[in-house]
Amino acid sequence: MPVLLDGLDQFKHNAFKNDLPIPDVIDTSKHKTVTLQVQQFEQFLGLYDQNGLPLNTTVWGYGTGQHSSYPGPTILAYEGQPVTVNWQNKLPVDGHLLPIDMSIDIAEPVRRPLEAGFIPIVTHLHGGHTKSAFDGLPTQWFTQSKSGPGGIGPREVGPDFVSSTATYDNDQQAATLWYHDHALGMTRLNVYAGLAGFYILQDDNRLDLVKTGILPSGPYDLGMAIQDRAFTSDGQLYYPAFKGDPLPGTEMTVGDVVPETFYEAKGDGAASIVPEFFGDTILVNGMAWPKLDVAAGDYEFRLLNGSDSRFYVLKISDPNVAVHLVGTDGGLLPDAKTVIDGDGIQEDNEYILIAPGDRLELVFDFSKLDGGDTVRLENVGPLFDPFKGLSDDGHLLGGVDSAGSNDPVGNIMQFNVDTSLKAFDAKVENGTILVKDFVDLTTDANQDGVADSANYVRNLGLFEGTDEFDRVTPRLGKAEAGIVSTDTTGESGGDFGPLSFTAPVTEKPLLGSTEQWNLFNFTEDSHPIHLHLPQFQVFEKRHIDFLDTNEDGIPDDTNDDGLISYGAGSTPDYTQADIWIGDKVTLRPEETGLQDTIHVDPHEMAAVVSTFDRLGDYVWHCHILSHEDNEMMRPYTVVDPDLLV
Ligand SMILES: [Cu+2]
């Protein structure tokens, strides 16, 4: 049984000691073609041994040849100027840093096998309006070439591989995008090892807002990738996989969450995926609980939740710091929204919710603080549990324990106010117009529950079931009224039920169409759902009622008519219908604007509106990486209406 570094111990002795690392910036106005190599190297992540000596960690990252880092270098791109990145797999051919579960659907090269140390990788630009061929789909992976004593040979590629040189068109508004690995069934492991970086897209509108002093820029504009991790006592990355492996922060082991059926079939020494992963150490840009010296002025912080499963509910320890939300996943909001007013009183609703995969562009105002003041960015989200929702006053739902200020995961980083630093005063305030020509896709003039912009409505489901080894397996699928099917292969057809990743494509939007996807969550946990290709808008969220008496993750056919049916109203009558769509849930500011990832809480339906304007194959999936790797992902295809008979 591996001995772990104790997150609490590391936090008590070492937090807020090291500076927030700022990744190198590759400005593509100077280089339109970039080569980025995936490499393995050692990096200091802010960990120390019992004698207080720094520990180095073997990680994976991206680099240009001279210097590699985790997170990778920040790619700075400009709207209207395509960028080509040549992604290269330069990992050593000596196996993964972390145990691979061979029993799930994974990228599995045959000629360059995992057993021989080869690693499939593929980079996805998350939030990018990217051509299918360059999207970094999970089946577009490629291994290292074979070199060394066995001679040089070509790499092996996945079934849908097109090219490892990808062109990103940058034909969307300025946004905080990020690139990360997406190889089938091992995304969680490749990202955990370090394969993620920022991709900042600029446009004229945003540059104008900077020029006119509305938004901060340059040294006052920083990306912060928040990721929870766990480590072995020698400072190496730890990810629970084997039966006796401890689950960080708990008294449990993997054997407590993976049923015996799995070990009977695969042997006690087999590595298994776990339902979720929660680490006890918080890294920001690859540094444990860093500090940042700030002037007593304004900063834009671009927050990314790059964690496996952890949702963060962020608070600021000093109520004199104001925070304005200026952008979400797809870039600037139509107008700025103050989410923390900085009036000196900590109010219940003054928090920031960020789910895995999400980005938030926030302007922090430290101008009321004095030199020497310290401010902590704190987390009151779940300690070591899945997120199940939040009340309006910021309390976790579902009986989940909240992290506190003495918990290692209750702290993200610290800001130290230094009045010798030159302050920048940004003009942004609540209501400042940021995007004048924002096209709102969410109007509903006739109040029929369908956005005026939508040509087509799909009902889709978030389900939970078990796999052949009785392990919990979250899934996506169809949720149309009609015949229920529990056959996840999709071969039996049906209108309603979970489907595996390999089941035939069921979502085929027409090129140029705008669709409303009603995402119904029938599970007990919240899931952040990510669509590749579009930036969508949240039309509405509603509470839903249904029964699941046998707890199979599929709503009951309560009126026994052999069909699943929907009713409207907040007082369900199960003699009339099986699923009831109830009252609207008020959207938080973080859920407005352009989104590519939206969390759907238990007993909730989220309706999102997207325009599908590129042909080809894409995926939609849960961005809890352990879920995405464990079948909570589906392909979809944008089809040409002229080619349909
Ligand atoms: Cu999920």
Side-chain angles (χ1 to χ4, degrees), residues 330-630:
L332 292 173
L333 296 176
D335 52 80
K337 294 195 176 82
T338 299
V339 287
I340 296 175
D341 63 14
D343 65 355
I345 302 159
Q346 169 76 61
E347 274 128 330
D348 285 344
N349 62 352
E350 291 184 318
Y351 58 84
I352 301 154
L353 176 61
I354 187 163
D358 276 340
R359 286 88 63 216
L360 295 172
E361 299 173 342
L362 298 156
V363 174
F364 279 52
D365 178 356
F366 297 106
S367 64
K368 285 191 191 163
L369 303 191
D370 298 319
D373 284 354
T374 61
V375 181
R376 285 186 193 177
L377 184 60
E378 297 177 331
N379 170 38
V380 295
L383 255 180
F384 292 98
D385 282 302
F387 181 78
K388 295 172 187 288
L390 200 59
S391 66
D392 289 340
D393 60 1
H395 289 97
L396 297 177
L397 300 177
V400 173
D401 286 336
S402 172
S405 56
N406 295 321
D407 292 310
V409 298
N411 292 270
I412 309 294
M413 63 181 291
Q414 182 168 291
F415 305 102
N416 298 339
V417 179
D418 178 351
T419 43
S420 73
L421 295 173
K422 189 173 180 294
F424 178 83
D425 180 22
K427 289 183 201 153
V428 67
E429 57 184 25
N430 191 39
T432 301
I433 302 291
L434 301 171
V435 180
K436 290 191 192 78
D437 53 356
F438 189 89
V439 180
D440 183 0
L441 297 178
T442 66
T443 57
D444 181 15
N446 62 356
Q447 297 282 307
D448 65 349
V450 177
D452 300 333
S453 59
N455 315 114
Y456 195 80
V457 180
R458 289 175 202 277
N459 293 315
L460 298 156
L462 285 55
F463 300 93
E464 198 160 273
T466 49
D467 69 5
E468 57 186 309
F469 310 112
D470 295 333
R471 293 180 297 186
V472 172
T473 310
R475 288 183 200 262
L476 301 172
K478 288 166 64 178
E480 303 295 350
I483 298 165
V484 180
S485 172
T486 54
D487 174 10
T488 57
T489 68
E491 279 162 26
S492 337
D495 306 296
F496 188 104
L499 293 167
S500 66
F501 178 61
T502 49
V505 175
T506 42
E507 287 73 57
K508 296 178 183 173
L510 299 183
L511 180 67
S513 67
T514 297
E515 296 200 353
Q516 177 171 326
W517 288 19
N518 296 331
L519 305 164
F520 291 84
N521 187 352
F522 302 120
T523 79
E524 295 298 314
D525 299 333
S526 187
H527 301 269
I529 301 299
H530 171 48
L531 270 71
H532 286 212
L533 181 66
Q535 288 291 337
F536 54 76
Q537 294 174 33
V538 181
F539 171 65
E540 64 178 14
K541 280 186 167 183
R542 283 184 183 272
H543 183 80
I544 58 169
D545 288 296
F546 58 90
L547 300 176
D548 182 12
T549 40
N550 62 352
E551 295 181 356
D552 67 348
I554 299 175
D556 296 346
D557 174 14
T558 42
N559 55 358
D560 261 337
D561 61 356
L563 301 169
I564 285 284
S565 57
Y566 286 91
S570 54
T571 42
D573 174 357
Y574 294 116
T575 64
Q576 298 300 313
D578 306 305
I579 300 165
W580 287 80
I581 303 174
D583 294 337
K584 270 193 192 180
V585 178
T586 309
L587 295 181
R588 288 194 51 78
E590 298 94 314
E591 300 174 298
T592 63
L594 298 177
Q595 301 279 339
D596 53 51
T597 310
I598 186 72
H599 68 278
V600 192
D601 289 342
H603 278 263
E604 197 173 85
M605 180 274 283
V608 302
V609 186
S610 329
T611 301
F612 297 92
D613 57 2
R614 277 187 186 274
L615 283 174
D617 297 327
Y618 292 95
V619 291
W620 63 290
H621 61 83
C622 180
H623 218 284
I624 290 178
L625 300 179
S626 294
H627 292 183
E628 167 183 350
D629 276 352
N630 196 10

Side-chain angles (χ1 to χ4, degrees), residues 18 40 57 74 171 240 287 312 342 379 442 457:
N18 294 291
Q40 178 172 308
T57 305
T74 297
D171 55 352
M287 185 63 74
Y312 299 89
N379 170 38
T442 66
V457 180

Side-chain angles (χ1 to χ4, degrees), residues 35-41 59-65 67-69 72-73 85-93 96-97 119-123 142-144 164 179-182 190-191 193-196:
T35 295
L36 281 180
Q37 300 181 338
V38 170
Q39 292 192 321
Q40 178 172 308
F41 49 93
V59 295
W60 293 354
Y62 301 87
T64 50
H67 176 234
S68 294
S69 64
V85 182
N86 175 9
W87 301 101
Q88 297 184 347
N89 186 344
K90 298 288 184 186
L91 290 170
V93 186
H96 210 290
L97 292 178
I119 306 291
I121 63 160
V122 59
T123 312
F142 57 100
T143 68
Q144 304 93 323
S164 53
Y179 60 92
H180 66 79
D181 200 79
H182 212 308
N190 290 357
V191 172
L195 297 186

Side-chain angles (χ1 to χ4, degrees), residues 47 61 94 110 134 151 177 236 241 256 290 314 366 433 499 585 596:
L47 307 172
D94 47 10
V110 178
F134 303 140
L177 310 180
Q236 299 309 309
D256 294 322
L314 301 173
F366 297 106
I433 302 291
L499 293 167
V585 178
D596 53 51

